[in-house]
Structures are given as structure tokens and as C-alpha cells.
Amino acid sequence: MTNPKALLDHFGVIPKKSLGQNFLHDPQALEKIADAAELMPEDTVLEIGPGTGALTEVLAKRVQRVIAVELDRRLEPIMRLTLAPYGNVEVVFDDILNVNIPELIGDQPYVVVANVPYYITSAILRLLLELPHAPRRIVLTVQLEVAERIIAKPGAMSLLSVSAQFYAKPKIVTRFNKAVFYPRPDVDSAVARLDVYDRPQVDVPNADVFFRVVKAGFGQKRKQLKNAIAEGLHMEHDEAAILLEAAGIDPKRRAETLSLPEWAAITRHYHASVQST
């Protein structure tokens, strides 16, 4: 009994829309996700949102160790049944945002595979990418719209895309029709792969200052950049305009049009101005 609907019905578990629960059941889709992770036999995988354990099984057959973190304890008997044959799987029932990942993983290299709802994608990505010992790769199954936001180019950038691309090189690996999930979601999904850099690809004083500037810029995204920066960084509007011009940025531009190197230039000038006062 490996079909998610059959398992959920058998154990009396009704999927919760509030948790974004849509369970993958298509074998080819599961294999595509595992393939996207480019796993090695000696690898450790941190799986976020294993659900009924269908993808966990595929991963367990390919790697040395799988640590699966699941929020919904109602799925415990299902996962106990599904994963009984696999001694290399450890299941942790907790909110991934509360889990001590370094303690869980140790110091070995690892890959993250996750099937997460829209509302938590940004928080999970920031958590993983900002870890002192970050994963070497993250493979996310998310709504297609979210995957497209992660890989966006200047003109359609957001805080999510800037955050992801600061730390990693993202791409969409494949797209999934609604039919590969139970229950069917309202939208199509995609698998996004993020190959994590050893260090950020732009030159900034530190990540905290960079994201303080970026958050300020996107804090008032309908406004011109000089106004958003002024409000977000508690500066006079004239000061913000001077800062942007010093960085080679037209103060009338909007945040979504800027590239990572342009955000980095603003950050360096902002940091220098703060240091000099």
C-alpha cells in the first residue's frame, strides 16, 4: 500500500490545506527529484516535508543516510510502515525552523531535498543558506510561480530571488502537472535546484549589511529606490539619492530592476558612509 490516498485513508488522516499538504505519488516524478539532487552513495540527505515517505524511500535507496523532518505527527504511523525496511532513515517530528540542523547533521557534507508550501519557502531557504555549514545543494519542489521567482532576472527580482542568488546558483530542473500530487493542488509545481556557492559571488562587507540594504529597497517596492532606501535605512531622501548616485544607480529606479552586483555596490557605499560617521 504505497499510494498516498490509500495510506491516508487507511490511517484516517485528512490532508491539511493550512500545511500545504499535497503528496507526490507519481514514481517518475519522485525519481526526477532524486536525480536532480545528483546524490552519491556516501551522501547524507536532509529531507524536509517527507509526508508519507514516498520520496524518502527513493532517497534511502541511493544514499548512506536520510534525516527526514516532518511537522505533522499524524503521519507518524504511515511513515513507520513505509520506512520500516530502511535502517538508514531517521525521522524527526518537528518544525524545521525550530530544528538544530548543525546538531542533526554533524560536520559531514549534505544535500537538502524538500517539498514545501509557498508560505514557508523563503524562511526555509534563508535558514539553510545562512547556516555556517550550509548544504552543498538544495532541491525544492515548490509552486511553479515560486520557482520562477527564485530564478528571476533583473526586472522581476524580489527579496526571495536576491536572497537565493546571493548564496547559490538556482535553476528550474523540471515542471510537474497537478496530477502527480494527491490531493491535486490548484497550481502547477516545479523542481528548483540551488547549487550553493562556497562564498557569495558579489563583494560585500558582510551578509547582514547586504540584506539590511536589500530589505530596505524592497520594503516599499512600489516606490522609487531613493524613497524606499530612505525609509528603510532611516535616511533623508537627499542622502539616499546621493548614496545611490555614488553607487552608480539612478535614484528613480525600482528595486526589482537591480542586479546583485548593483545591490552590492549600494551596500559597499552604505557601509562606508556608516563607518565614516
Side-chain angles (χ1 to χ4, degrees):
M1 187 166 56
T2 57
N3 180 281
K5 185 180 187 309
L7 281 166
L8 293 164
D9 288 348
H10 179 77
F11 286 95
V13 177
I14 299 171
K16 285 186 177 180
K17 212 165 187 179
S18 62
L19 295 179
Q21 287 182 328
N22 302 102
F23 302 98
L24 265 171
H25 62 78
D26 183 271
Q28 289 186 332
L30 297 170
E31 294 291 339
K32 282 181 180 179
I33 293 170
D35 288 346
E38 284 190 23
L39 300 167
M40 305 294 287
E42 66 274 15
D43 275 340
T44 292
V45 173
L46 172 62
E47 185 188 8
I48 302 171
T52 61
L55 178 57
T56 318
E57 284 192 87
V58 176
L59 298 171
K61 292 172 183 175
R62 298 192 182 201
V63 300
Q64 183 174 326
R65 183 186 183 206
V66 179
I67 303 167
V69 180
E70 173 56 55
L71 177 63
D72 190 354
R73 261 200 184 273
R74 299 178 306 153
L75 300 173
E76 186 171 1
I78 297 176
M79 295 188 73
R80 195 182 301 124
L81 173 67
T82 306
L83 303 175
Y86 304 100
N88 61 337
V89 176
E90 176 187 350
V91 181
V92 177
F93 286 95
D94 203 343
D95 183 340
I96 188 61
L97 299 178
N98 296 331
V99 170
N100 187 328
I101 295 175
E103 189 176 279
L104 208 57
I105 296 293
D107 58 3
Q108 72 265 47
Y110 66 106
V111 174
V112 171
V113 178
N115 179 10
V116 294
Y118 169 81
Y119 72 90
I120 202 173
T121 303
S122 296
I124 287 177
L125 272 181
R126 284 294 300 275
L127 169 72
L128 294 170
L129 293 169
E130 290 180 356
L131 287 169
H133 178 38
R136 76 169 187 269
R137 185 173 301 121
I138 301 171
V139 176
L140 285 173
T141 303
V142 291
Q143 290 180 16
L144 177 58
E145 177 194 346
V146 179
E148 289 174 339
R149 285 180 61 210
I150 289 171
I151 67 164
K153 303 296 183 188
M157 297 290 277
S158 64
L159 182 56
L160 175 60
S161 54
V162 172
S163 300
Q165 293 172 36
F166 179 77
Y167 290 108
K169 181 180 180 180
K171 66 177 180 179
I172 292 177
V173 178
T174 189
R175 300 182 180 197
F176 290 150
N177 186 277
K178 305 166 191 175
V180 303
F181 295 93
Y182 171 79
R184 288 192 181 204
D186 297 327
V187 295
D188 288 335
S189 300
V191 178
R193 167 174 157 163
L194 295 89
D195 291 293
V196 182
Y197 299 128
D198 291 333
R199 58 185 300 278
Q201 299 296 286
V202 291
D203 179 26
V204 294
N206 62 65
D208 287 343
V209 177
F210 177 78
F211 283 108
R212 192 181 311 149
V213 170
V214 173
K215 284 179 179 177
F218 281 104
Q220 304 284 340
K221 63 180 182 180
R222 296 185 185 278
K223 294 189 176 183
Q224 293 179 356
L225 197 57
K226 67 175 180 180
N227 298 329
I229 290 288
E231 291 184 29
L233 297 179
H234 309 294
M235 304 169 68
E236 296 296 329
H237 285 67
D238 289 347
E239 285 182 290
I242 292 169
L243 169 67
L244 292 167
E245 286 169 353
I249 309 297
D250 182 346
K252 294 180 180 178
R253 287 175 64 182
R254 299 185 188 276
E256 65 267 21
T257 70
L258 268 63
S259 66
L260 255 70
E262 288 176 320
W263 283 117
I266 298 170
T267 302
R268 291 193 297 271
H269 282 82
Y270 170 67
H271 186 257
S273 70
V274 170
Q275 294 293 100
S276 64
T277 56

